[in-house]
Amino acid sequence: MEALLLDILALLKQGEAIDAAKLAALVRTRNENVADVSKHLAKKRLFPFYLRVKTEDPARWLGWGIDPDLEKRLLAVIQMKPRRTASGVATITVITKPWPCGSDCLYCPNDVRMPKSYLSDEPACQRAERNFFDPYLQVSSRLRALREMGHPTDKIELIVLGGTWCDYPEGYRIWFVRELFRALNDPLERAAGEAERIRERYRGWEIPSDAEALARNAEAEQDRVTSRETTYNQAVSRLYGEHAGWRRAALEQTATFAELEAQHELNERADRRVVGLVIETRPESITADRLAHIRRLGCTKVQIGVQSLDEAILRENNRAGDATAVARSFALARAFGFKIHAHMMANLCGATPESDLADYRRLVGDPAFRPDEVKLYPCALVDGTALVERFAEGTWSPYGEDELIELLARCVLATPPYTRISRMIRDISARDIMAGNKKTNLRQLVEAAVARSDKPVDEIRYRELSTADAAPETLELSVFPYETAHADERFLQWTMRSDGAEKIAGFLRLSLPHADFVREHASELPVSVGDAMIREVHVYGKAAQLHDTSTGAQHLGLGRRLVEEACAIARSAGYRRMNVISAVGTRGYYRNLGFSDCGLYQRRNL
């Protein structure tokens, strides 16, 4: 491994550029005369080896003659999956424990080893199960993997998945988030020992984490759910509610807000800071009290399972709620300052490509909705769901591949410049899908269809700067205004031209709430008439360490200039105060911009 690393360093010192093909050739050359395949070198082992030598054998590392500039170029070569942090932060997804669900949708998977709608084969779910669904352990294991791939881990977005958040007991919800923060706050040398101590507790409670053992334990209940002899909720209650170990764990899985807020304070100065916290829920479950609760947890974004705005299709799929509930949930969430991430599902029972396109256009075009992000994915047939019966009788079938790609491409083209389509597939393995799309590169196929249309694309993800460099003198600041039912929105964006296309280097979401809506909901809202709200500030480019510089757009002062422009816009519109829904780890940044802590937000007088 050292010989391969020295090959790379020699070329870099000579000023040569090393792309993926060149690196692969270097690896092949070193493996040519090694007959034992198990001893072959691999790119994925380069960064862990480099990091281990640098931290554990500094004398050996010094012998390689690496200065800061050379190290930066070396890491660009050996880092795995650079797009993981191309958005400027490292994302860690965690899963809550299995729990009864307040809904029973026609298409929803019923894997009794998982929270409702998730499958044990999904990568994040596998990681959660190996770690007893413990938040501390899940974060610790993911941090280790990110470090081994060469990604900075000082700015973290936490995504908490597991069905409807408010279905869980309040004490569990607070404990879960406290443990997420604690895992990030603990120094690395302490975290390893703490993680092992936590594992030993679960083992002492005889809670298994081996996939095969878990599958055997759940097999009988899973068969009964799949055959419709019992419900998912009943099976989960028996498997976990009647298990002595899980009952014992539940007694300790509770915390107070005081304990959580102590971890918040530590995280403001920690080496690994939370710059975003996301939870998921259903529209009909959103109330002002629940939004205040998740805001106090440190939440900055809500994922809302809309699936469809067509009430006939919702009824057909046994999906609770309606378009009115979605509109109310969006209005409240926006007034609270949250980023709104809507889940939409194409090809539901009763839908057609034409109705799906109309539904999507309504979502992104009707002022009652207009989310900031969308997860747009096709329905897939999974065993154990009620949709299996509809498929068997011929009342539901998946769209053909060409039909699906054309639909999704038309949705991309209909997406406005302030909306990002974050995903187009679920992480469901092909072997779990009985019918429907099994291609993991669906998005690439859709983007190819979009390119063939030769039409302009405004959608954010399509325009992201990603891993490209940003030249400050080429950036332009523009403001895109749009209206929602109860607020005037302003999307401020830094853009540049790259390879003939517009790229977005950073943006800010400014909300100017309508005074009549704030007065009407004065008893529910934590804001007052005259308050503007910054709902998100995001700068793209390669993630840079805190207080470090980056070859991307980060740390060029773009965020500060966006904030100042937003304050100027709000002031000229007659607003007297600016709130920002800051994440715990960004509070210090906003204090430096003149904001003061004020309840659920940070505030600056205009």
Side-chain angles (χ1 to χ4, degrees):
M1 190 63 70
E2 183 171 12
L4 175 59
L5 195 64
L6 291 175
D7 290 344
I8 297 169
L9 288 169
L11 292 176
L12 291 175
K13 288 176 181 178
Q14 293 169 17
E16 288 196 31
I18 302 176
D19 59 12
K22 180 69 173 177
L23 177 59
L26 291 171
V27 174
R28 280 197 305 272
T29 299
R30 282 289 169 185
N31 288 334
E32 275 178 356
N33 299 317
V34 181
D36 187 349
V37 177
S38 66
K39 295 181 180 179
H40 277 194
L41 304 178
K43 176 186 173 179
K44 67 181 181 181
R45 298 194 183 98
L46 274 169
F47 185 83
F49 171 76
Y50 175 78
L51 187 64
R52 186 167 60 252
V53 172
K54 184 178 180 180
T55 56
E56 299 176 8
D57 194 351
R60 184 181 179 190
W61 179 78
L62 287 171
W64 293 342
I66 298 178
D67 60 27
D69 176 68
L70 180 58
E71 182 174 51
K72 185 175 292 186
R73 288 186 289 133
L74 173 66
L75 295 182
V77 173
I78 66 176
Q79 185 185 53
M80 293 292 292
K81 299 181 180 179
R83 191 172 174 86
R84 284 275 165 85
T85 48
S87 64
V89 299
T91 297
I92 295 179
T93 299
V94 294
I95 309 290
T96 50
K97 67 183 179 181
W99 193 260
C101 178
S103 189
D104 188 23
C105 304
L106 194 71
Y107 50 82
C108 196
N110 290 295
D111 189 332
V112 298
R113 290 162 56 187
M114 289 293 133
K116 192 68 153 54
S117 89
Y118 290 91
L119 291 168
S120 52
D121 282 344
E122 296 180 62
C125 295
Q126 291 176 339
R127 186 166 59 247
E129 198 170 48
R130 286 195 303 270
N131 288 292
F132 309 94
F133 296 95
D134 186 274
Y136 191 104
L137 296 180
Q138 291 182 67
V139 169
S140 297
S141 65
R142 192 63 184 139
L143 280 175
R144 183 170 59 252
L146 287 168
R147 288 196 302 270
E148 289 178 353
M149 288 190 289
H151 294 284
T153 57
D154 62 325
K155 289 177 285 186
I156 302 292
E157 180 183 47
L158 294 166
I159 301 179
V160 182
L161 303 179
T164 304
W165 178 248
C166 63
D167 283 350
Y168 290 88
E170 179 178 300
Y172 175 83
R173 285 178 269 151
I174 299 173
W175 167 82
F176 196 93
V177 177
R178 184 199 70 183
E179 290 298 281
L180 296 176
F181 277 91
R182 194 166 71 88
L184 294 171
N185 291 340
D186 279 355
L188 294 178
E189 59 275 11
R190 177 183 172 185
E194 177 65 3
E196 186 53 36
R197 186 188 70 81
I198 293 172
R199 290 183 188 281
E200 284 303 316
R201 269 196 313 177
Y202 286 106
R203 292 179 187 128
W205 296 330
E206 298 183 349
I207 296 176
S209 62
D210 174 73
E212 291 185 6
L214 288 160
R216 286 194 303 270
N217 291 348
E219 185 176 11
E221 289 290 355
Q222 187 65 65
D223 287 345
R224 294 179 66 201
V225 171
T226 300
S227 64
R228 317 295 288 173
E229 293 177 29
T230 191
T231 67
Y232 167 88
N233 286 355
Q234 291 167 341
V236 165
S237 295
R238 285 190 290 269
L239 281 171
Y240 301 95
E242 297 177 10
H243 186 284
W246 277 111
R247 289 204 310 271
R248 179 69 182 83
L251 295 175
E252 298 199 16
Q253 292 176 343
T254 186
T256 65
F257 266 118
E259 293 169 332
L260 169 60
E261 287 160 358
Q263 294 298 324
H264 281 177
E265 290 184 20
L266 291 174
N267 192 253
E268 291 183 26
R269 301 175 297 278
D271 292 335
R272 292 170 296 281
R273 299 180 194 174
V274 176
V275 299
L277 174 61
V278 188
I279 63 96
E280 65 173 351
T281 188
R282 302 194 309 271
E284 68 276 10
S285 298
I286 290 180
T287 65
D289 286 344
R290 285 171 176 166
L291 291 174
H293 184 274
I294 64 171
R295 178 61 200 136
R296 192 175 175 190
L297 293 174
C299 182
T300 54
K301 181 196 294 185
V302 287
Q303 293 193 25
I304 303 177
V306 176
Q307 314 310 355
S308 176
L309 294 171
D310 188 316
E311 293 174 21
I313 291 176
L314 289 172
R315 287 194 300 272
E316 179 77 10
N317 290 271
N318 198 31
R319 178 75 179 179
D322 53 25
T324 301
V326 175
R328 175 175 168 78
S329 71
F330 277 34
L332 282 174
R334 184 173 278 112
F336 268 80
F338 290 106
K339 278 78 73 179
I340 300 171
H341 190 167
H343 293 195
M344 290 292 280
M345 188 177 289
N347 201 181
L348 288 170
C349 194
T352 66
E354 292 74 23
S355 71
D356 281 334
L357 180 60
D359 208 26
Y360 183 79
R361 284 175 170 165
R362 182 184 179 193
L363 176 77
V364 299
D366 189 326
F369 310 112
R370 293 184 171 171
D372 306 305
E373 267 189 281
V374 179
K375 189 181 290 185
L376 176 64
Y377 48 89
C379 181
L381 184 66
V382 177
D383 198 14
T385 65
L387 190 62
V388 171
E389 298 167 13
R390 302 297 183 92
F391 179 68
E393 65 190 24
T395 55
W396 177 87
S397 60
Y399 297 157
E401 182 176 308
D402 291 344
E403 197 174 30
L404 176 62
I405 289 172
E406 181 185 1
L407 166 63
L408 295 178
R410 294 175 74 184
C411 289
V412 170
L413 293 169
T415 304
Y418 52 82
T419 302
R420 183 179 191 268
I421 301 177
S422 59
R423 303 200 72 172
M424 284 189 183
I425 59 168
R426 280 276 307 270
D427 278 335
I428 299 176
S429 70
R431 63 178 173 270
D432 286 324
I433 298 175
M434 301 172 65
N437 173 70
K438 297 184 180 182
K439 292 194 172 179
T440 57
N441 67 334
L442 177 63
R443 185 166 201 138
Q444 289 177 291
L445 299 174
V446 171
E447 290 183 349
V450 169
R452 288 193 297 271
S453 75
D454 202 29
K455 295 179 180 178
V457 181
D458 293 326
E459 186 262 330
I460 291 176
R461 193 177 189 274
Y462 205 88
R463 299 186 293 130
E464 286 173 354
L465 185 64
S466 186
T467 58
D469 292 347
E473 66 276 7
T474 67
L475 296 173
E476 295 183 1
L477 178 61
S478 61
V479 180
F480 185 91
Y482 63 101
E483 304 301 312
T484 60
H486 304 294
D488 299 334
E489 298 288 317
R490 301 290 181 267
F491 184 74
L492 288 68
Q493 58 180 348
W494 285 108
T495 58
M496 61 181 285
R497 304 299 297 181
S498 176
D499 297 326
E502 182 186 74
K503 294 295 181 182
I504 183 168
F507 65 82
L508 180 148
R509 300 185 189 278
L510 170 64
S511 189
L512 304 172
H514 295 166
D516 56 352
F517 179 80
V518 178
R519 289 192 190 95
E520 181 183 348
H521 296 272
S523 62
E524 298 178 280
L525 300 179
V527 294
S528 304
V529 172
D531 287 2
M533 179 75 75
I534 293 174
R535 297 191 297 115
E536 182 176 16
V537 179
H538 195 104
V539 177
Y540 285 102
K542 301 171 187 175
Q545 297 282 354
L546 288 165
H547 315 303
D548 199 357
T549 58
S550 167
T551 57
Q554 295 204 343
H555 299 307
L556 297 177
L558 303 184
R560 176 185 292 270
R561 292 178 64 183
L562 285 168
V563 170
E564 294 305 325
E565 182 66 19
C567 287
I569 291 171
R571 186 184 304 112
S572 65
Y575 290 81
R576 300 187 299 275
R577 294 168 297 276
M578 179 67 79
N579 293 315
V580 60
I581 185 168
S582 53
V584 170
T586 62
R587 289 173 179 170
Y589 172 79
Y590 286 107
R591 290 183 191 121
N592 290 335
L593 297 184
F595 288 81
S596 301
D597 298 353
C598 187
L600 299 178
Y601 308 99
Q602 290 181 285
R603 177 175 294 170
R604 178 169 137 182
N605 290 326
L606 300 178

